[in-house]
């Protein structure tokens, strides 16, 4: 893959990379670090990618691996977003999304990886392939995490 | 909130304009990935081995300390081979592995890295002490009067080095080890 082709490839997958990185970062600086590192790792490993799985599976794997294993440079300040009241009524779409992000950041990082793939509308089989788990284990975990998310959103968590 | 509502809300993220990654800087940027950072450190040490050990051998050769030159040569070859294997081992991990496999590899790599420093730290402390006090040459020339004292002091220094390396590692990687271990266990745990 040449540099021009890689640029197009990143542009095509930018939205996936951003959504995953956003869910793991607590500041814009951290978000940029994550997206940059994901792009770098994709560039470094693209020659090893043999097409045995879907391209999106590969992108999700790399993005989640980077976010979950990243060494944080320093203690990151909590985003002001987290200070909002998560139980407010009559939320607009943006508020609902903000509330979902807040709830996502309150669950364990490993659980976040699972529920992110669920939200991305991945099948249990694809999720199992990306995560390296059994399909049945994915199903059970997704149900448990969804309940946990709903509890947080409704102010019971 | 219904189950599908979560997905519907998440779909709103797809409507927002994607913030673009600066691709031009990707090719020249340095990785902040955990295994890459460990590999960089090990490779730097290997480069130092390749430069330092021959210099030490030549230094002792010039001083006509042939026994010390031979010991340094053997240690140097051993160290270079050991580092080579370590680099090959760490290179096998791949960021495109499944999440569980990759996190487990990161965790194991840190453990290998710690074991490496414990070994190197203890050996170098003891070797440095023995060299500094001429114990090695005295030992081979049969001039050591009280061998028990030498052994006790060497063990004491080894233990001190072991504790120091442990403490340094705890502060540098303690959090990461804990986080990675917890993530792997949580993901593998059948519910």
């Amino acid at each position: 893959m040449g540099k021009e082709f890689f640029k197009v490839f990143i542009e095509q997958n930018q939205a996936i990379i951003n959504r995953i990185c956003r869910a793991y970062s607590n500041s814009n600086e951290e978000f940029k670090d994550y997206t940059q590192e994901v792009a770098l790792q994709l560039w470094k490993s693209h020659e090893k990618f043999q097409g045995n799985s879907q391209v999106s599976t590969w992108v999700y794997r790399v993005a989640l691996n980077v976010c979950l294993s990243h060494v944080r440079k320093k203690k990151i300040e909590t985003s002001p977003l987290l200070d909002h009241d998560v139980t407010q009524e009559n939320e607009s779409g943006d508020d609902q999304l903000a509330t979902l992000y807040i709830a996502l950041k309150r669950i364990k990082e490993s659980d976040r990886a699972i529920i992110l793939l669920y939200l991305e509308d991945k099948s249990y089989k694809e999720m199992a392939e990306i995560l390296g788990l059994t399909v049945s284990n994915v199903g059970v975990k997704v149900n448990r995490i969804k309940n946990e998310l709903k509890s947080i959103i409704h102010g019971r968590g | 909130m219904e189950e599908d509502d979560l997905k519907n809300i998440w779909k709103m993220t797809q409507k927002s304009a994607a913030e673009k990654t600066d691709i031009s800087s990707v090719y020249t940027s340095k990785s902040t990935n955990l295994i890459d950072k460990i590999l960089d450190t090990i490779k730097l040490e290997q480069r130092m081995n390749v430069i330092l050990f021959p210099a030490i051998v030549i230094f002792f050769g010039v001083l006509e300390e042939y026994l010390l030159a031979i010991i340094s040569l053997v240690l140097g070859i051993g160290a270079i081979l050991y580092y080579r294997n370590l680099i090959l081992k760490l290179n096998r991990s791949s960021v495109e592995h499944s999440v569980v496999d990759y996190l487990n590899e990161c965790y194991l790599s840190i453990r290998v890295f710690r074991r490496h420093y414990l070994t190197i730290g203890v050996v170098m402390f003891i070797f440095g002490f023995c060299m500094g006090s001429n114990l090695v040459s005295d030992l081979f020339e049969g001039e050591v009067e009280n061998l028990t004292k030498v052994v006790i002091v060497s063990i004491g220094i080894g233990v001190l080095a072991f504790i120091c390396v442990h403490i340094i590692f705890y502060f540098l990687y303690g959090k990461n080890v804990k986080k990675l271990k917890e993530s792997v266990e949580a993901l593998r745990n059948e519910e």
Side-chain angles (χ1 to χ4, degrees):
Chain A
M1 195 189 294
K3 285 183 179 177
E4 274 308 306
F5 190 78
F6 183 69
K7 193 180 169 192
V8 175
F9 170 80
I10 288 293
E11 279 168 6
Q12 284 169 347
N13 292 281
Q14 188 77 63
I16 295 176
I17 297 169
N18 286 4
R19 286 197 297 273
I20 300 290
C21 294
R22 182 72 70 195
Y24 280 94
S25 50
N26 292 315
S27 67
N28 277 335
E29 191 194 350
E30 203 174 40
F31 170 73
K32 278 181 186 161
D33 284 349
Y34 282 175
T35 52
Q36 191 85 1
E37 184 63 26
V38 171
L40 175 63
Q41 292 300 333
L42 286 168
W43 171 249
K44 281 171 74 178
S45 62
H46 77 269
E47 282 177 357
K48 285 191 253 171
F49 178 67
Q50 293 172 336
N52 296 331
S53 57
Q54 285 182 29
V55 174
S56 65
T57 302
W58 176 50
V59 175
Y60 278 113
R61 272 183 173 179
V62 173
L64 285 172
N65 285 342
V66 166
C67 291
L68 283 164
S69 66
H70 197 265
V71 182
R72 286 182 170 83
K73 284 180 196 164
K74 59 187 175 192
K75 195 174 182 336
I76 304 290
E77 284 177 21
T78 307
S79 161
L81 195 70
L82 295 174
D83 295 327
H84 286 186
D85 177 10
V86 293
T87 58
Q88 57 193 310
E89 302 281 333
N90 301 322
E91 294 165 312
S92 69
D94 283 349
D95 284 343
Q96 283 184 323
L97 187 58
T99 305
L100 181 55
Y101 266 117
I102 292 165
L104 280 171
K105 285 178 183 176
R106 286 195 184 167
I107 62 175
K108 278 197 295 189
E109 289 193 355
S110 53
D111 285 347
R112 209 179 302 167
I114 297 169
I115 206 69
L116 275 173
L117 293 174
Y118 166 80
L119 293 172
E120 289 282 307
D121 223 8
K122 295 282 146 196
S123 68
Y124 284 0
K125 190 170 171 286
E126 276 178 289
M127 289 170 71
E129 199 186 331
I130 293 166
L131 297 163
L133 304 177
T134 60
V135 175
S136 59
N137 197 11
V138 167
V140 176
K141 282 181 191 296
V142 165
N143 283 327
R144 194 250 308 150
I145 303 163
K146 270 194 304 196
N147 288 333
E148 196 182 332
L149 264 187
K150 279 188 277 179
S151 291
I152 295 169
I153 289 167
H154 295 300
R156 298 191 297 268
Chain B
M1 186 177 283
E2 295 302 316
E3 284 176 11
D4 282 347
D5 286 350
L6 291 174
K7 282 189 181 179
N8 288 333
I9 296 168
W10 190 249
K11 275 179 189 156
M12 282 187 261
T13 58
Q14 291 162 6
K15 289 176 194 161
S16 57
E19 201 171 321
K20 287 185 180 174
T21 304
D22 180 12
I23 296 294
S24 58
S25 63
V26 165
Y27 310 114
T28 50
S29 63
K30 204 163 167 53
S31 173
T32 53
N33 176 276
L34 188 66
I35 294 183
D36 286 345
K37 282 176 100 169
I38 290 175
L39 255 172
D40 284 348
T41 310
I42 302 277
K43 281 177 183 171
L44 180 70
E45 286 176 25
Q46 175 71 314
R47 282 196 285 274
M48 282 168 71
N49 285 337
V50 170
I51 295 166
L52 276 180
F53 275 105
I56 292 170
V57 172
I58 292 167
F59 173 72
F60 283 130
V62 169
L63 290 180
E64 296 184 354
E65 293 277 1
Y66 298 118
L67 181 67
L68 289 175
I70 291 168
I71 292 173
S72 301
L73 183 67
V74 172
L75 277 175
I77 292 170
I80 288 167
L81 289 176
Y82 164 78
Y83 271 86
R84 186 179 161 272
N85 281 340
L86 195 60
I87 289 166
L88 287 174
K89 203 175 192 174
L90 290 170
N91 256 333
R92 275 183 220 128
S93 60
S94 170
V95 75
E96 56 181 322
H97 283 170
S98 72
V99 172
V100 169
D101 288 345
Y102 182 73
L103 294 182
N104 195 43
E105 283 194 14
C106 287
Y107 171 63
L108 293 177
S109 296
I110 295 180
R111 283 183 53 175
V112 167
F113 197 44
R114 187 178 64 177
R115 201 162 49 234
H116 153 74
Y117 269 111
L118 285 174
T119 311
I120 297 291
V122 171
V123 169
M124 293 310 279
F125 259 80
I126 294 174
F127 186 69
F129 171 75
C130 293
M131 295 284 282
S133 57
N134 291 326
L135 277 171
V136 176
S137 49
D138 287 353
L139 199 65
F140 280 92
E141 286 161 20
E143 289 176 12
V144 175
E145 289 170 2
N146 195 341
L147 193 61
T148 316
K149 266 188 190 172
V150 173
V151 172
I152 290 170
V153 171
S154 298
I155 290 172
I157 288 169
V159 171
L160 187 69
F162 186 87
I163 293 168
C164 286
V165 173
H166 248 300
I167 292 170
I168 292 166
F169 238 89
Y170 177 79
F171 282 109
L172 283 178
Y173 292 101
K175 265 188 188 172
N176 288 96
V177 171
K178 195 170 170 242
K179 192 184 111 181
L180 288 168
K181 194 179 176 200
E182 281 173 359
S183 294
V184 172
E185 283 174 356
L187 285 166
R188 279 191 174 153
N189 177 35
E190 294 276 343
E191 294 178 21

